Amino acid sequence: MSCPIGNSNGQDAAQQGEVLGAEVGMLYGEYLQLDKILSSQRMLSHSDKHPVHDEHLFIVTHQAYELWFKQIIFEVDSIRDLFDEELIKESNTLEILKRLNRITLILNLLVDQVPILETMTPLDFMDFRDYLSPASGFQSLQFRLLENKLGVKTEHRVRYNQNYSHVFGTDAEAIEALQRSEQDPSLSDLVQRWLERTPGLEKDGFDFWDKFQASVEKLLKEKEEQANNEESEYLKNYRLMDIQKRRDVYKTIFDPKVHEALVARGERRFTYKALQGAMMISFYRDEPRFSQPHQLLQLLMDIDSLITKWRYNHVIMVQRMIGSQQLGTGGSSGYQYLRSTLSDRYKVFIDLFNLSTFLIPRHYIPELTLEMKNTLTHSKSAKTSECIDEEENNAASNGLK
Ligand code: HEM
């Protein structure tokens, strides 16, 4: 933060600070309430005969994380507000991109911050670990809220962590905030609603999904023909088996019943229509109106990746500090519990990662009709698009659309 008034380099600056402070009514420390923040490092080991130097780092690191969690939640909430509209203005899409990008930069910082705490040795940690028990990051309300607001569902969590009451049981405010964060539409819910409105999915319009299915069928038929022409029986059978496997994989997206079964098992999260929207955007990302939506989907994956990286760095640090056979101060199995949170069940946007499974070579991608090409090029003519400009929005609110 650039602040001309708080930089007291010598008397002049201090005097200047006083003058400015009098004018604007507040100084750097007051504005930032540093008295509260900087007096919040209460080292429990220092009340003992053997103060532990590294407890200071331990406290400051956790506090820094919590501040950044707060900022991320602030951004996620604002993005959810922007998404929670029937029609998203193009200017809002830019703002959403900017804020998502900011979140990824903060998460990068949080991932990179772990090695700083790893400069503390396990022996040093042991010196003060008993003081902090039963406190644990497991009780980080903000971390849980963040997971819920992004879209981690209770039923996808490791069983040990499916019930808040044994962690936050006596804290009614925390329980209420957690319940609200579960009930309100998560970022994932809102993104799905937006994807469902992707222009080009309309059955009576471009009907992307039918065209895509036809392309896949054509591709597999051609591959089958090639396989049948193989001279070697072994190679032929191998190729045909491979094609059958591909067919089964495509069935999981073309047969709505199979899709629903995967959703019920928690292996797929997106609604059928949202999945189609995401697929369409990834195929036609070079079209001007899909460029921002495509970037947005990339950023959502980045967020998932970075949180998984943080979980991974944290679990490695935990193993280094307490090994893999000690319980955590929060009462879990420690390392074993944390390792299980690295699974795909904790990835909110897993379906975006898995889109690559269903890609087809460029020349099989269904060609855009002239009308569709026009829709994806000029925002003003895109009457069914979710990304509309100001003028169109007014028209929409006037009932013209
Ligand atoms: C010496 C360093 C650390 C150790 C040994 C440690 C240990 C643990 C353990 C064992 C758990 C599992 C829950 C339990 O306590 O039973 C846990 C959970 C957690 N810790 Fe740490 N931790 C450390 C640093 C941090 C830091 C710097 C943060 C930053 C905020 C943090 C945040 C969390 C969170 C959010 C959880 C819950 C994760 C989940 O349930 O998915 N921890 N930690």
Side-chain angles (χ1 to χ4, degrees):
M1 177 177 172
S2 102
C3 182
I5 52 177
N7 250 337
S8 47
N9 306 327
Q11 217 182 347
D12 284 354
Q15 277 166 357
Q16 193 191 14
E18 273 165 35
V19 175
L20 280 173
E23 276 172 12
V24 296
M26 224 182 268
L27 293 179
Y28 177 82
E30 274 178 278
Y31 175 63
L32 297 174
Q33 303 205 41
L34 292 183
D35 53 340
K36 287 188 191 153
I37 296 183
L38 299 180
S39 60
S40 302
Q41 291 69 38
R42 181 170 47 108
M43 288 179 278
L44 293 181
S45 73
H46 283 231
S47 56
D48 201 4
K49 276 186 227 128
H50 305 290
V52 186
H53 176 85
D54 283 11
E55 192 185 356
H56 195 272
L57 176 72
F58 186 80
I59 295 172
V60 168
T61 307
H62 279 82
Q63 288 175 339
Y65 269 106
E66 288 293 337
L67 275 179
W68 282 123
F69 288 162
K70 185 164 189 179
Q71 184 63 31
I72 296 176
I73 289 173
F74 188 66
E75 302 295 352
V76 169
D77 279 343
S78 74
I79 294 169
R80 284 158 70 229
D81 284 345
L82 290 173
F83 258 118
D84 200 10
E85 287 177 19
E86 195 55 31
L87 299 158
I88 301 173
K89 291 183 222 152
E90 235 135 60
S91 55
N92 281 357
T93 320
L94 256 187
E95 199 53 45
I96 291 172
L97 279 180
K98 194 177 95 187
R99 292 179 197 176
L100 284 175
N101 187 43
R102 180 177 294 159
I103 293 173
T104 64
L105 292 177
I106 297 172
L107 285 172
N108 265 306
L109 188 74
L110 298 191
V111 170
D112 288 348
Q113 214 163 278
V114 173
I116 304 179
L117 193 52
E118 281 177 339
T119 59
M120 173 178 77
T121 65
L123 214 54
D124 293 329
F125 183 45
M126 207 176 200
D127 279 346
F128 67 91
R129 189 173 183 232
D130 282 347
Y131 293 103
L132 58 101
S133 181
S136 159
F138 199 61
Q139 298 137 15
S140 167
L141 174 63
Q142 293 201 104
F143 187 75
R144 266 334 140 222
L145 287 175
L146 176 59
E147 284 183 333
N148 288 350
K149 282 165 188 272
L150 289 175
V152 174
K153 297 265 178 275
T154 306
E155 61 268 27
H156 296 149
R157 291 182 188 281
V158 177
R159 196 173 292 271
Y160 178 74
N161 188 20
Q162 287 191 357
N163 183 357
Y164 300 128
S165 55
H166 67 264
V167 179
F168 300 101
T170 52
D171 187 343
E173 232 174 88
I175 294 275
E176 202 209 314
L178 284 164
Q179 283 169 346
R180 212 172 329 116
S181 69
E182 282 180 332
Q183 285 150 11
D184 289 348
S186 65
L187 181 61
S188 168
D189 294 330
L190 295 164
V191 164
Q192 288 178 62
R193 279 185 213 164
W194 168 75
L195 284 171
E196 286 170 358
R197 302 193 296 264
T198 305
L201 296 183
E202 310 81 15
K203 276 259 158 234
D204 56 352
F206 181 63
D207 196 5
F208 163 70
W209 205 239
D210 251 31
K211 289 191 168 67
F212 175 42
Q213 194 165 355
S215 289
V216 169
E217 199 42 54
K218 182 168 174 259
L219 169 72
L220 294 177
K221 279 236 163 70
E222 283 175 15
K223 284 202 177 290
E224 254 163 13
E225 274 167 29
Q226 282 166 13
N228 280 323
N229 286 336
E230 281 294 347
E231 279 179 15
S232 146
E233 196 65 17
Y234 172 78
L235 258 186
K236 178 178 143 184
N237 289 337
Y238 176 81
R239 297 249 150 88
L240 287 175
M241 197 178 69
D242 195 39
I243 294 164
Q244 186 51 45
K245 274 193 199 147
R246 290 298 296 158
R247 216 178 264 291
D248 292 342
V249 167
Y250 279 110
K251 198 170 174 206
T252 70
I253 53 166
F254 291 134
D255 185 338
K257 284 202 193 107
V258 181
H259 170 84
E260 292 310 330
L262 287 171
V263 171
R265 291 215 301 267
E267 287 171 37
R268 204 171 277 164
R269 310 286 158 76
F270 274 15
T271 63
Y272 197 44
K273 198 84 187 281
L275 190 76
Q276 297 176 10
M279 196 83 222
M280 179 156 186
I281 291 170
S282 62
F283 274 145
Y284 303 103
R285 60 179 185 198
D286 294 336
E287 301 303 322
R289 300 197 70 201
F290 275 174
S291 154
Q292 285 185 358
H294 178 253
Q295 284 175 53
L296 202 149
L297 298 185
Q298 297 300 310
L299 286 167
L300 294 174
M301 280 193 279
D302 289 345
I303 289 177
D304 247 349
S305 298
L306 286 162
I307 293 181
T308 309
K309 280 181 188 162
W310 181 81
R311 289 185 201 276
Y312 183 75
N313 279 6
H314 174 255
V315 81
I316 295 294
M317 172 174 66
V318 169
Q319 191 177 31
R320 177 191 284 234
M321 294 296 167
I322 64 168
S324 46
Q325 303 298 331
Q326 257 195 91
L327 295 187
T329 46
S332 78
S333 56
Y335 170 77
Q336 309 296 343
Y337 159 72
L338 291 169
R339 218 176 54 160
S340 62
T341 66
L342 295 174
S343 99
D344 276 354
R345 297 179 74 80
Y346 279 76
K347 285 211 192 87
V348 176
F349 298 104
I350 183 75
D351 298 315
L352 296 178
F353 289 85
N354 285 336
L355 285 184
S356 311
T357 314
F358 309 106
L359 289 183
I360 50 176
R362 258 180 212 278
H363 58 281
Y364 283 96
I365 297 176
E367 208 172 314
L368 292 173
T369 56
L370 206 63
E371 195 190 355
M372 195 62 221
K373 182 102 186 145
N374 214 16
T375 301
L376 296 184
T377 308
H378 310 291
S379 62
K380 281 189 183 164
S381 61
K383 293 297 176 197
T384 51
S385 170
E386 78 296 293
C387 290
I388 56 166
D389 63 19
E390 204 84 53
E391 191 183 314
E392 280 188 300
N393 199 17
N394 291 338
S397 57
N398 290 337
L400 297 175
K401 263 180 63 138

